[in-house]
Amino acid sequence: MRVLVVEDEFKTADFIKKGLLENGFRVDVAHYGTDALKLATSSDYDIIILDVMLPGMDGREVLKSLREKSNLTPVIFLTALDGLEDRLQGLKLGADDYIVKPFAFAELLARIHTVLRRGQPRSVEIRYAVDDLELDLAAHRVTRQGTRIDLTPKEFTLLSLLLKNKGEALSRTRIAERIWNLDDFHETNVVDVHMRRLRAKVDDPFEKKLIHTVRGVGYVLEDRG
């Protein structure tokens, strides 16, 4: 899941970003409303965490502009404004939820999952499978030969990427860009390290191997018979 965090307080933005990354999300951060609007209209996000009180273009203006452009990305307002009229105004503008500062990260995470479940289109495929390997996005569950495999949030996200692009060779650079923010991607072997850990759980206990190394490129997940 890809999240846009819009927050002008750098410490708060870093706090939210760190927590979301640890829970398997991909995170972009904007500190100004104008930057947020550009990112939200040029990239696809699953949800936006949007502060109201932003320098220049505030969060309400950002949300209003998005909705006028028929952008229906779920938005959770995050703000110190806790008056009833403030909350009602935000919801009327098209916000999906409203969290008042100060807040606990656990509450924010729970609200995010609730909003994402609420807005999940029924037509969207939420299960991916190759041979006897199956990943259920909604239940956050991976099984092989009917046996559940416990993955870390990052391993789950990595396997999701491979399954969504099954049969396609993904370069290490592409994987790093999709799974890790570039500013967090310092070690060139981070993809290989995480792939070894994923293989140890998904492939090593089973006779048939599904994750393959493509020499000079990266990795592919496919059933080679």
Side-chain angles (χ1 to χ4, degrees):
M1 291 290 182
R2 190 176 183 188
V3 183
L4 175 60
V5 175
V6 188
E7 170 61 65
D8 65 324
E9 296 179 3
F10 284 74
K11 288 185 178 180
T12 302
D14 289 342
F15 166 71
I16 296 172
K17 177 181 177 180
K18 181 176 183 295
L20 291 175
L21 288 174
E22 289 174 350
N23 281 273
F25 290 89
R26 294 165 52 215
V27 185
D28 291 331
V29 175
H31 300 293
Y32 299 93
T34 51
D35 293 337
L37 186 59
K38 290 178 182 178
L39 284 170
T41 53
S42 62
S43 302
D44 292 326
Y45 292 98
D46 295 286
I47 194 166
I48 300 172
I49 310 303
L50 181 60
D51 188 18
V52 174
M53 303 300 290
L54 296 169
M57 186 180 200
D58 69 22
R60 295 190 186 98
E61 294 177 281
V62 173
L63 178 57
K64 182 179 180 182
S65 181
L66 287 175
R67 296 305 186 238
E68 288 175 348
K69 298 176 186 294
S70 299
N71 185 314
L72 301 179
T73 303
V75 170
I76 296 179
F77 266 148
L78 188 64
T79 178
L81 300 174
D82 61 352
L84 176 60
E85 288 302 318
D86 294 310
R87 295 197 296 273
L88 290 176
Q89 183 180 7
L91 295 173
K92 288 177 181 178
L93 285 172
D96 296 85
D97 206 343
Y98 196 106
I99 299 180
V100 177
K101 299 178 183 178
F103 63 94
F105 179 77
E107 179 188 5
L108 174 61
L109 187 62
R111 298 284 191 98
I112 289 173
H113 284 304
T114 297
V115 170
L116 289 174
R117 285 196 300 269
R118 184 193 308 155
Q120 183 74 37
R122 294 183 181 275
S123 61
V124 173
E125 183 181 6
I126 59 174
R127 286 186 175 86
Y128 300 91
V130 169
D131 193 59
D132 55 4
L133 174 67
E134 181 174 318
L135 181 146
D136 187 325
L137 280 177
H140 207 273
R141 181 175 59 241
V142 174
T143 59
R144 187 159 185 193
Q145 294 182 6
T147 301
R148 182 161 185 162
I149 300 174
D150 292 323
L151 301 180
T152 66
K154 194 65 70 178
E155 290 165 352
F156 185 88
T157 305
L158 180 56
L159 182 60
S160 298
L161 177 65
L162 291 171
L163 279 165
K164 291 175 184 177
N165 296 275
K166 58 187 176 184
E168 178 183 352
L170 302 179
S171 69
R172 290 173 175 83
T173 299
R174 182 177 174 187
I175 294 171
E177 290 175 344
R178 295 291 301 274
I179 305 299
W180 291 269
N181 286 359
L182 289 179
D183 57 350
D184 293 326
F185 180 53
H186 303 299
E187 300 295 334
T188 57
N189 68 339
V190 67
V191 174
D192 296 324
V193 169
H194 280 78
M195 198 66 73
R196 281 198 298 271
R197 293 172 181 169
L198 181 62
R199 279 173 149 172
K201 296 179 180 180
V202 171
D203 265 352
D204 290 356
F206 304 93
E207 181 177 356
K208 181 183 287 188
K209 310 307 176 187
L210 297 176
I211 301 175
H212 307 279
T213 301
V214 181
R215 188 181 300 275
V217 180
Y219 299 93
V220 62
L221 191 152
E222 62 182 354
D223 180 3
R224 292 185 174 179

